[in-house]
Amino acid sequence: MLDKLAVARALREIGLLLQAQGENPFKVRAYETGARALEDSQEDLPALVSSGRLTELRGIGEALAKKISELHLTGRTALLERLRTELPPGLLELLQVPDLGPKKVAALREALGVGSVAELEAACRAGRVRGVKGFGEKTEQRLLEALARFRGREARLLLSDALELGERLVRHLRAGPDERVDLAGSARRRKETVGDLDLVASAPGPADFAGRLTAFPLAAEVVARGETKTVVRLASGVQVDLRVVAPEDHAAALHHATGSKGHHVRLRGLARDRGYSLSEYGLAALDGGAPIRVASEEELYARLGLPFIPPELREDAGELEAALSGALPTDLVRQEDVRGLVHCHTRWSDGRATLEEMAAAADALGMEYLTITDHSPSAHYAGGLTVDRLRAQWDELARVQESVRVKLLRGTESDITEDGLLDFPDAVLEQLDVIVASVHTRFKMDEAAMTRRLRRAMELPVFKIWGHARGRLLLEREPFECRMEEVLDALAGARGAVEVNGDPHRLELEPRFLRLATERGIPVVLSVDAHSTAAFGYLRFAVDTARRGWIRRGQVLNALPAEAFARAVRPA
DNA sequence: GCCGTTTTCGGCCCGACTGTTTTCAGTCG
């Protein structure tokens, strides 16, 4: 028995192995598409299988439906088992090496019997690669360099770091007011981590954007330099791609460079259906005729009969279907909608600023309310408050309240204990305005135990806000295991809310799960999880993440005025 | 392997750049 996600994983593996084998790329894509269709489907896999309705999903035909049923019911399928035995296990890793695709991998395997990264490295060092048809000395050298980078694993950036670096690059490249430089790529889509930076530049007159990029202080190596495209690698290993275009092509190029790839593939298919070919230069009629220049991304979508799709939604995760049917949300939450800061720590526990400083900073930002949520007793590692210290904090809070406009709310970030309980007595919890409940310990419980732990906590009457959902730390710690749909069902049943944590290391609940939460009518809180006043700036990342999860203004509790917010989160 | 009021077969997104070619294939985004 495999569940939906496990079946999707198996399909992806088949696709990759077929690709490594040099199979028809469209067939390879079909497996990827099928895996995606399955993941995005709202329905239960057992129901889809038993009623034979798998083929109703777009991208799943007879052959895939058969394999999916087989994988679901028996956990295996002959094709995958055959591929696994026929192909050397190191082959998939070889495909991950930059500059190596299926064709080159196949050629190397054919000519030299290379079936792993280690074997490739040995062959390069021995100078045997240059003798293979289609390979030369330069390629051999490039491969050695690519392998060295591959060993150190590619450098990835947190979204916050990517935006900072991207904004710096924009400032560096733009030399005058009539020049236009935009950050595109996954940073513009606000993905939680970013592998490389994409920029688009244009100017009405002559401007040496490429020269400026190669002269960027952090640039270490020029990877490619052509007429319109320049690629450099920074000392940190991060790659920067720059496209330089004519001003009239800027909008189309920006759209192209923003991606995602999946969104573009679907959009170009749609354009084709409408009699156009879509490229980075805009639209062109399929039956010849001059290219149609678009002045903005809005115009590009409009010419295809679609409303504007914001970059955060361009993931081929149903946004095109929604756009076609008029179901695309038009009131995605924006930063200016947020009226209160939720989830803030002070020096009472592990914050670096005093309660007074936090209050003053929130005031200065024009916030209507601020919830002070220091850690609870069992969070020894973070200076969690005892009941006595919590009560003492309320006194200080009352005193500080006299000197600030922002409404201060009493709260806690309570640990969810191993048993699925909160660690203040109910009598104390009931006197609080806001309770954020989070897992901080025992991340390695198995999926069933963790699911029970969370469900039990959510069934407590005082449970209101689920903090930094699965406790991941981006690029550092994987999220813990739990059955998310079951947990969200429990949260919905308890009329609780979920946090979108804006700490750049967290950015949870993840977008795909936010959409599951929305289906269940679960409201969200956009939080900063601030341990300093500077961290109030994390709000933008919470907003970005929420938008990626299609969260609308009306679902956000801290977009409500203070009184309505307090009513909505009060422990009952 | 999927898909179809233009098709049940022949398509499937499009272009830049590089290296090894002597007109283009492979890879990438």
Side-chain angles (χ1 to χ4, degrees):
Chain A
M1 280 296 268
L2 292 181
D3 67 14
K4 208 191 259 184
L5 296 182
V7 172
R9 261 201 305 279
L11 294 182
R12 283 210 171 80
E13 189 180 345
I14 294 177
L16 283 168
L17 289 167
L18 288 174
Q19 186 188 31
Q21 223 185 17
E23 183 53 272
N24 172 3
F26 297 106
K27 187 166 169 178
V28 171
R29 197 166 91 191
Y31 278 90
E32 171 62 29
T33 307
R36 187 150 204 166
L38 199 58
E39 283 170 349
D40 290 346
S41 72
Q42 312 297 356
E43 259 192 280
D44 257 14
L45 182 58
L48 285 170
V49 169
S50 59
S51 60
R53 286 181 294 116
L54 275 168
T55 52
E56 287 175 17
L57 297 178
R58 188 191 164 79
I60 295 180
E62 294 299 328
L64 277 180
K66 187 155 167 286
K67 291 191 181 72
I68 290 168
S69 300
E70 207 182 335
L71 281 162
H72 170 61
L73 297 172
T74 70
R76 43 203 294 195
T77 184
L79 175 61
L80 181 55
E81 304 205 337
R82 181 169 63 73
L83 288 169
R84 278 178 178 161
T85 54
E86 278 177 9
L87 298 172
L91 214 55
L92 287 184
E93 204 184 22
L94 270 179
L95 280 177
Q96 311 291 316
V97 177
D99 296 339
L100 272 194
K103 294 284 172 58
K104 286 189 179 174
V105 166
L108 289 168
R109 205 155 86 87
E110 174 86 7
L112 303 174
V114 164
S116 70
V117 167
E119 286 165 14
L120 174 60
E121 185 158 13
C124 283
R125 291 200 190 288
R128 288 188 286 134
V129 167
R130 67 185 70 175
V132 181
K133 186 172 163 58
F135 291 75
E137 223 171 303
K138 268 194 171 170
T139 303
E140 194 175 83
Q141 199 53 42
R142 271 174 87 97
L143 277 175
L144 271 174
E145 287 163 21
L147 282 167
R149 279 198 303 281
F150 183 73
R151 283 197 187 292
R153 287 291 160 187
E154 57 175 330
R156 279 195 85 78
L157 296 171
L158 294 177
L159 174 63
S160 54
D161 295 332
L163 290 175
E164 193 183 323
L165 181 59
E167 284 154 14
R168 186 173 160 193
L169 275 158
V170 167
R171 285 194 303 274
H172 173 83
L173 291 173
R174 190 163 173 268
D178 57 350
E179 295 184 356
R180 193 169 163 198
V181 182
D182 283 306
L183 181 61
S186 52
R188 183 166 180 240
R189 302 200 311 277
R190 303 294 194 255
K191 282 205 69 170
E192 60 268 46
T193 63
V194 172
D196 50 29
L197 294 173
D198 296 275
L199 295 152
V200 177
S202 59
D208 183 18
F209 290 114
R212 288 177 209 157
L213 178 61
T214 55
F216 184 64
L218 300 177
E221 180 197 352
V222 178
V223 177
R225 182 154 179 180
E227 253 176 65
T228 68
K229 192 168 141 181
T230 304
V231 181
V232 302
R233 187 158 14 250
L234 306 184
S236 60
V238 171
Q239 191 168 300
V240 181
D241 291 20
L242 170 68
R243 272 315 276 281
V244 181
V245 296
E248 60 270 28
D249 290 329
H250 193 102
L254 175 61
H255 182 265
H256 170 76
T258 298
S260 69
K261 187 181 165 136
H263 181 81
H264 282 335
V265 169
R266 292 291 312 279
L267 196 61
R268 285 172 176 174
L270 196 87
R272 190 156 273 276
D273 295 343
R274 304 251 194 288
Y276 295 111
S277 162
L278 174 62
S279 79
E280 56 232 80
Y281 297 106
L283 293 164
L286 280 176
D287 50 14
I292 303 162
R293 292 238 147 81
V294 291
S296 64
E297 290 186 326
E298 283 81 356
E299 186 189 340
L300 178 57
Y301 284 107
R303 285 193 178 259
L304 294 172
L306 297 169
F308 177 71
I309 301 179
E312 299 95 316
L313 267 47
R314 299 179 197 165
E315 299 293 345
D316 188 24
E319 72 278 9
L320 282 165
E321 291 79 355
L324 285 167
S325 69
L328 199 70
T330 54
D331 51 356
L332 292 178
V333 66
R334 297 163 307 167
Q335 188 163 343
E336 54 267 37
D337 297 328
V338 175
R339 296 175 184 235
L341 291 172
V342 184
H343 194 159
C344 301
H345 299 271
T346 71
R347 279 198 206 162
W348 281 86
S349 64
D350 61 349
R352 290 190 294 283
T354 62
L355 203 163
E356 196 160 7
E357 288 164 346
M358 295 295 272
D363 225 15
L365 289 173
M367 284 292 160
E368 290 177 30
Y369 45 98
L370 171 70
T371 82
I372 302 298
T373 53
D374 274 305
H375 288 284
S376 62
S378 56
H380 309 290
Y381 55 91
L385 273 58
T386 58
V387 173
D388 285 347
R389 291 189 68 230
L390 181 66
R391 290 187 192 280
Q393 187 185 49
W394 295 348
D395 293 339
E396 177 170 310
L397 197 139
R399 186 178 59 73
V400 171
Q401 182 67 78
E402 287 173 16
S403 62
V404 292
R405 224 174 355 164
V406 63
K407 168 82 176 156
L408 301 177
L409 296 171
R410 294 174 176 178
T412 181
E413 179 182 14
S414 175
D415 268 27
I416 296 174
T417 69
E418 192 176 336
D419 306 327
L421 298 171
L422 305 189
D423 63 341
F424 277 121
D426 282 354
V428 174
L429 291 171
E430 283 161 9
Q431 293 180 65
L432 290 165
D433 299 311
V434 180
I435 298 168
V436 177
S438 322
V439 169
H440 288 113
T441 53
R442 290 296 314 278
F443 293 98
K444 299 208 166 138
M445 293 172 93
D446 69 54
E447 184 184 70
M450 189 61 94
T451 303
R452 269 199 308 278
R453 175 184 183 180
L454 290 166
R455 285 185 50 173
R456 183 162 184 218
M458 286 170 180
E459 281 156 15
L460 299 171
V462 291
F463 192 103
K464 282 295 152 184
I465 302 172
W466 184 20
H468 55 66
R470 294 196 299 160
R472 73 173 176 188
L473 291 176
L474 290 165
L475 308 180
E476 293 172 44
R477 183 172 75 204
E478 290 298 311
F480 62 65
E481 304 279 335
C482 68
R483 290 194 290 269
M484 188 56 84
E485 298 194 37
E486 201 177 318
V487 171
L488 290 175
D489 285 342
L491 186 59
R495 304 197 160 280
V498 69
E499 173 186 74
V500 180
N501 188 304
D503 181 326
H505 292 88
R506 297 191 181 275
L507 304 183
E508 286 191 282
L509 188 66
E510 296 164 56
R512 61 190 170 123
F513 294 138
L514 281 173
R515 294 182 65 186
L516 296 181
T518 297
E519 283 169 23
R520 290 163 173 77
I522 296 170
V524 306
V525 165
L526 304 188
S527 91
V528 287
D529 200 351
H531 290 73
S532 67
T533 54
F536 286 162
Y538 293 167
L539 185 59
R540 66 181 286 199
F541 307 123
V543 172
D544 290 337
T545 304
R547 290 172 63 88
R548 285 173 51 75
W550 298 36
I551 297 295
R552 308 161 68 163
R553 183 170 54 232
Q555 299 172 256
V556 177
L557 295 181
N558 53 328
L560 293 169
E563 284 211 2
F565 172 76
R567 270 199 305 278
V569 300
R570 182 162 296 139

